[in-house]
Amino acid sequence: MSAIQSELTLSDRGLPRMQGADAAQLGAALQRKYAERITGHSVQPARSADYRPLPESLPAALRRALQARGINQLYSHQAEAWDAVGRGADVVVVTPTASGKSLCYTLPVVASAMTQSTRALYLFPTKALAQDQVTELLELNRAGDLGLRAHTFDGDTPGDARQAIRLHGTVVVSNPDMLHQGILPHHTKWAQFFENLRYIVIDEIHSYRGVFGSHLVNVLRRLRRVCAFYGSTPQFILCSATIGNPKAHAEALIEREVTAITRSGAPHGERHVLLWNPPVCNPDLGLRASARSQSNRIARLAVRAGLKTLVFAQSRLMVEVLTKYLKDVFDHDPRKPARIRAYRGGYLPGERRAAERAMRSGEVDAVVSTSALELGVDIGSLDVVVLNGYPGSIAATWQRFGRAGRRQQPALGILVASSDPLDQYLIRHPEFFSGAAPEHARLHADQPLILLDHIRCAAFELPFHDGDGFGSDAIDPFLQVLAESGVLHHEGTRWEWIADSYPANAVSLRSVADGNFVVVDRSEGRQTIIAEVDYSAAALTLYEGAIHMIQAQPYQVERLDWEGRKAFVTRTHVDYYTDAIDYSRLKVLAQFEGCVAGAGSALHGEVHVVRRVSGYKKIRYYSHENIGYGPVNLPDQELHTTAIWWQLPQSVLDAGFSSRQDALDGFLGAAYALHLVATVAVMAEARDLQKSVGSADGAWFAAADGRGRGQLRAIDGGLADPRDVPGFIPTVYLYDNYPGGVGLSDPLWRRQGELVVQARALIEGCACRAGCPACVGPILAADEAALDTPRALALRVLNLLFVP
Amino acid sequence: MTALAAQLERWRQQSGAVRIQPAAQAVIAPLASGSAAIELDHLRRLLGLRLRSTASQTAVDGDLPGSELAPGLRYVERHLDLGPADAVLYTDIAGFEHIDPPRLLHFDTETTGLSGGTGTRAFMIGVADWRDDRLRIRQLYLATMAAESAMLETFASWLRPEHILVSYNGRCYDAPLLATRYRLARMHNPLAALRHLDLLFPVRRRYRGVWENCRLATIERQLLGVLREDDLPGSEAPRAWRSYLTRGDARDLRRVLAHNDQDVISLAQLLRRLAIAAP
């Protein structure tokens, strides 16, 4: 508690008056005052533009329109894109935020529309981006009187406008969800559009990875099937933020060869990046001040200096907490317009549009956002970006930093590490942010569940024939399964849709299934839907008693209708928030491969995971003290997925450890370190890869008790003593956190030996004595003095698994 | 493949999907190979599907009325004496002038679902027109899915440029649905060029608020005094057709035929009635 107090009383004094400073000056001041917190500093020098003349082959009217908009030359990457598209290549353009990417596709699309009356489909991951794009196209259209008709087509498009858009839209700007649910299942109404479809533009392709990306590949398979029916084979123009494998990722998405254009000719201002580690407040336990307190402080300083600031937080909850803290400082006068705003998914569209407008117009000084603003939503120019916690990938880190400095002024990006071990690992290795290429986007298009969903949707759109492929493989077994459930009818060589349903409505591209929960506000007799929550997050955030935050307003969940997917909340006034307590256990179902790993073994296979939310903690604002618990009674979440795991035989453990408790603690520490290095090694999103320690036969599982000590629990969740369990074979699991897996365990299995080596190096290279959150996880003060420290125990386990 | 089916169902549950209750009558078309049949039995168990016993299958009543125009395409025709149709008509209804009754083509479809989109099809088209002062009712329906093209072709061959289509909610439902089917069959849509008189609109204008709703069954009862016996509600039609397709049970399909037959007769009578009611 003393640490927290001192953190709170630290003031902003000692910093020079920063009013009117630019971002570079703020960065320099922070470096002076907080030198010990800054683990890395880098500057990307300003870069001047590389221009090319407007292409000769540009239609004259388009050339005039560009010139009227002040565009008299192109950046090199725009000219390269024009040439490559002209050659008929499918193209991916990979350049930073605000480098004029959209001209790369606007030019060929508009030129072809003008000269050959062709049409184009644009896909953006969000509606907001689609609207920005249409505005841009219409401005160009007005500038040159080009006769272009550009429209958004999404869930908000009024019914009477839809017909006109289908018949006459030159450029239809939509999103994958709308293509999937609203366009493809009605393709006959779009017949003329598909017959003349020349270009498909997909922007922000780096955001289509994992589950969403796997869905998109299948939506594009369906799109190509429909285009083939109408005799068109459109060309693809893709854009991406910087990722490690743009060409491969683009090729995985559209399943064709792609030409990559990766060198940007756009100028940019100087960009400073600071890596910030919160100060140690308990050196014995290696505990640091919270990232939240640091981000809050930095944002406060930036706003006071008159710099437009964007703070990214990792969770919706953290967005709300940080917004409240900043509002407490800057928005205490309710008569004045708000200077601080929150922005995240789960708000209704109108609310989000209002926030975007306020940011563009400069009314707002700071925005606190989830990843929702990572993409190119136009919110005007910013000076400072603060990342409260590592966003989970190097690519996302740069993408978020890229939000600042749009006007070629100096920009400042600050990554504040959280206590999360991954953050701590990376913040002390600044080389990850300078030298290393950003990670590779991955997807798993043939994930069976996703594939089944899209084969169902595709069969609704056009019948399948025996031996047809969808993607690469023959899909007859899937068709048979669908026929078995009464959805398809096999007649002759055709598989025809016969069900009385509209399958696309039951398939959500963003989540694993159509299981979203709606949050219903029942305050004062209302019945208003105020938010939506993904199925996967529901158990953790919507249990009865949970405080659910919306625009920093707390709502309490009064009743959760699990089957009906509804949470009923009322407005409340409390000074705490809630945090779920959950744990998981695993059971091996099938073993694919195995090998000797040191004195033990490493295996790869299929597992059954049961996760349970057992209760929640109430945590008071500011002091963050735990002020109570509540029980949660929800169905267990079950998951069949793939995993890799390591185990040691009992004889080895008996010889190597003085007690089973020691061995268990060693396994927990080893799991912690292995999970950390594995997350970085396969460049997974941290939440997609999970760890667990349990018995090989699923008879018990272990969890750290919050202070680092291993606790062994039986299947019913009751505590057990390690000395009492028969067949004590602790096992470390790393599993893919998605039903059926999204393809993480394969690359992990191929690198299993390397992971043990890296985990060992991580612990050996850690500066702590007995173990800390950056290597084996948080430990007890009492363990500091122990002979066998958690750190030593974890190293012993890893050494036993090590193959020299 | 069995493992695939079982796993797919498990994963679906785990990902929050609501459990699908497979329709009991949904049974896959028989497969040739014996070993495959064993596999499929296993699959059915896993997915909770039940195979109908052979005994009940032999007892299925698969009797289809009418004649076969083309493989899988059935045709039913009858004539009805309703008294002579007036030649002077309908000015009030949609700006039509004097229309020769033989120009009127009353039509109604029965479809495999109500959800719209490319996966929904018409499996039955009923048409009524005046021939020598009698109402001729012709119905086309599918006994196989492959016969759809033949049905669309036959229906198109019945249409002449001078025809005026008469329907109930056909502008928003039947005509767009057929347009989709013609498009998918890569045929010219013969409906697009014809005038179309949708009686729902004049009925709504005149009787909204007068009766509990403007559904055809209500209007029929109130205006024409028609009371249907043993009527299969239109919403049951998709199930009835699937029963025939997957099990060969034609009992409910015959009721759909009767329902559709009454629909087109009512259309013809309703139009006369509306015209007479006009000032």
Side-chain angles (χ1 to χ4, degrees), chain A residues 18 63 70 100 183 246 272 395 456 459 504 548 571 591 633 696 734 738:
Chain A
M18 297 294 300
R63 172 185 296 265
I183 298 178
H272 294 259
R456 181 189 287 122
H548 194 73
R571 184 78 174 78
Q591 218 168 282
N633 193 6
L734 297 178
Y738 181 72

Side-chain angles (χ1 to χ4, degrees), chain A residues 29-89:
Chain A
L30 289 173
Q31 273 180 280
R32 277 196 303 279
K33 175 135 200 285
Y34 298 109
E36 78 290 352
R37 302 186 190 180
I38 290 165
T39 62
H41 170 227
S42 65
V43 188
Q44 285 184 334
R47 193 175 53 202
S48 56
D50 180 2
Y51 289 117
R52 301 290 152 83
L54 290 176
E56 290 300 322
S57 43
L58 222 50
L62 178 54
R63 172 185 296 265
R64 281 194 299 277
L66 289 171
Q67 285 164 342
R69 304 265 296 135
I71 302 167
N72 295 301
Q73 47 194 347
L74 296 182
Y75 295 134
S76 57
H77 58 277
Q78 295 166 335
E80 278 178 51
W82 170 265
D83 292 342
V85 172
R87 288 195 304 271

